[in-house]
Amino acid sequence: MKIPVVLAQEPVARLGPAPRVPLEDGRGMLALGAGLAALAEGLGAIGQAQAAKEEQFGRDEAASASAAWERGLNEHVAALDVSERDPERYLTRFQQHVTETTQTTTAGLRTPSGRRLFELKRDAALVGIEHRVLRRSNTLYVERGAAMLDDTTANTLGLIQGVPFGDRE
């Protein structure tokens, strides 16, 4: 990942050597005070540029982490759709994966602003994914209920016709 470079937008006062002024009269103290003020202003501008750079790094870090987290979670949900037929296990495995990947991703973030922004992006993405997972889980419940109803109907018809339960060979 390319780390962004933020340049200071305001010119920094020249911090070169000040002209020699004797300190005995008031002009020397005045010059010293002006030099210190210029130094404080320059350091303030450097501090602001550093803070802007760190904030931008946090935003980039959070965007990258949340995109990777969401992509991994979508792939896991797609794999669950194919492999898992039990609705309870489907939801349990989904929640376990969310917890594990969130902890791993959060541990890899280096800045507090990156963690904070990742949590916001994660929560927003998780709403849509959880909605899809709950709909799929409800579908699995309906399929299981329909399968149980089919078995009950087959067993009832078997009783009526005098056919034993179980496999019909």
Side-chain angles (χ1 to χ4, degrees), residues 9 33 50 52 75-76 98 100 104 109 133 136 145 149 165 167:
Q9 300 296 320
Q50 181 65 24
E75 289 172 359
H76 181 72
V98 168
E100 291 169 2
T104 304
L109 297 173
V133 165
R136 176 66 180 149
L149 183 60
F165 293 175
D167 295 335

Coordinates of all heavy atoms in Angstrom, one line a residue, residues 9 33 50 52 75-76 98 100 104 109 133 136 145 149 165 167:
Q9 N 0.4 23.3 3.4 CA -0.2 24.2 2.5 C 0.2 25.6 2.7 O 0.0 26.4 1.8 CB -1.7 24.0 2.6 CG -2.2 22.6 2.3 CD -2.0 22.2 0.9 OE1 -2.1 23.0 0.0 NE2 -1.6 21.0 0.7
G33 N 12.4 37.4 20.8 CA 11.0 37.1 20.9 C 10.4 36.8 19.6 O 9.6 35.9 19.4
Q50 N 1.8 17.0 10.0 CA 1.9 15.6 10.5 C 0.6 15.0 10.9 O 0.3 13.9 10.6 CB 2.9 15.6 11.7 CG 3.2 14.2 12.3 CD 3.9 13.3 11.3 OE1 4.6 13.7 10.4 NE2 3.7 12.0 11.5
A52 N -2.3 15.9 9.7 CA -3.1 15.6 8.5 C -2.6 14.4 7.8 O -3.4 13.6 7.3 CB -3.0 16.8 7.6
E75 N -17.1 -13.9 0.7 CA -16.6 -15.3 0.2 C -17.0 -16.4 1.2 O -17.4 -17.4 0.8 CB -15.1 -15.2 0.0 CG -14.7 -14.4 -1.2 CD -13.2 -14.2 -1.2 OE1 -12.4 -14.8 -0.4 OE2 -12.7 -13.5 -2.2
H76 N -16.9 -16.1 2.5 CA -17.3 -17.1 3.5 C -18.8 -17.4 3.4 O -19.2 -18.5 3.5 CB -16.9 -16.6 4.9 CG -17.2 -17.6 6.0 ND1 -16.5 -18.7 6.1 CD2 -18.2 -17.6 6.9 CE1 -17.0 -19.4 7.1 NE2 -18.0 -18.7 7.6
V98 N -17.4 -13.9 11.6 CA -17.4 -12.4 11.8 C -16.5 -12.0 12.9 O -15.7 -11.1 12.9 CB -18.8 -11.9 12.0 CG1 -18.8 -10.4 12.5 CG2 -19.6 -12.0 10.7
E100 N -14.0 -13.7 14.4 CA -12.6 -14.0 14.2 C -11.9 -13.0 13.2 O -10.8 -12.5 13.5 CB -12.4 -15.4 13.6 CG -12.7 -16.5 14.6 CD -12.8 -17.9 14.0 OE1 -12.6 -18.0 12.7 OE2 -13.2 -18.8 14.7
T104 N -9.0 -10.2 14.0 CA -7.7 -10.3 13.3 C -7.5 -9.0 12.5 O -6.3 -8.4 12.6 CB -7.7 -11.4 12.2 OG1 -8.0 -12.6 12.9 CG2 -6.4 -11.6 11.5
L109 N -4.5 -3.2 12.4 CA -4.6 -1.8 12.2 C -3.6 -1.0 13.1 O -3.6 -1.3 14.3 CB -6.0 -1.2 12.4 CG -7.0 -1.8 11.4 CD1 -8.4 -1.3 11.7 CD2 -6.7 -1.3 10.0
V133 N -27.8 -12.9 5.2 CA -27.6 -14.2 5.9 C -28.8 -14.6 6.7 O -29.2 -15.8 6.7 CB -26.4 -14.0 6.9 CG1 -26.4 -15.2 8.0 CG2 -25.1 -14.0 6.2
R136 N -31.3 -16.0 4.2 CA -30.9 -17.4 3.8 C -31.2 -18.4 4.9 O -31.6 -19.5 4.6 CB -29.4 -17.4 3.4 CG -28.8 -18.7 3.1 CD -29.4 -19.3 1.8 NE -28.8 -20.6 1.6 CZ -29.5 -21.5 1.0 NH1 -30.6 -21.3 0.5 NH2 -28.9 -22.7 0.8
G145 N -38.5 -27.4 7.2 CA -39.9 -27.6 7.5 C -40.7 -28.4 6.4 O -41.5 -29.3 6.6
L149 N -42.4 -32.0 6.5 CA -43.8 -32.2 6.1 C -43.9 -33.2 5.0 O -44.8 -34.1 5.0 CB -44.3 -30.8 5.6 CG -45.8 -30.8 5.2 CD1 -46.7 -31.2 6.4 CD2 -46.2 -29.5 4.7
F165 N -42.8 -48.0 7.0 CA -42.1 -46.7 7.0 C -40.6 -47.0 6.5 O -40.2 -48.1 6.5 CB -42.0 -46.1 8.4 CG -43.3 -45.7 9.0 CD1 -43.4 -45.2 10.3 CD2 -44.5 -45.7 8.2 CE1 -44.5 -44.8 10.8 CE2 -45.6 -45.2 8.8 CZ -45.7 -44.8 10.1
D167 N -37.2 -46.7 4.0 CA -36.9 -46.8 2.6 C -37.8 -47.8 2.0 O -38.1 -48.9 2.5 CB -35.4 -47.3 2.5 CG -34.4 -46.3 3.0 OD1 -34.8 -45.1 3.0 OD2 -33.3 -46.7 3.4

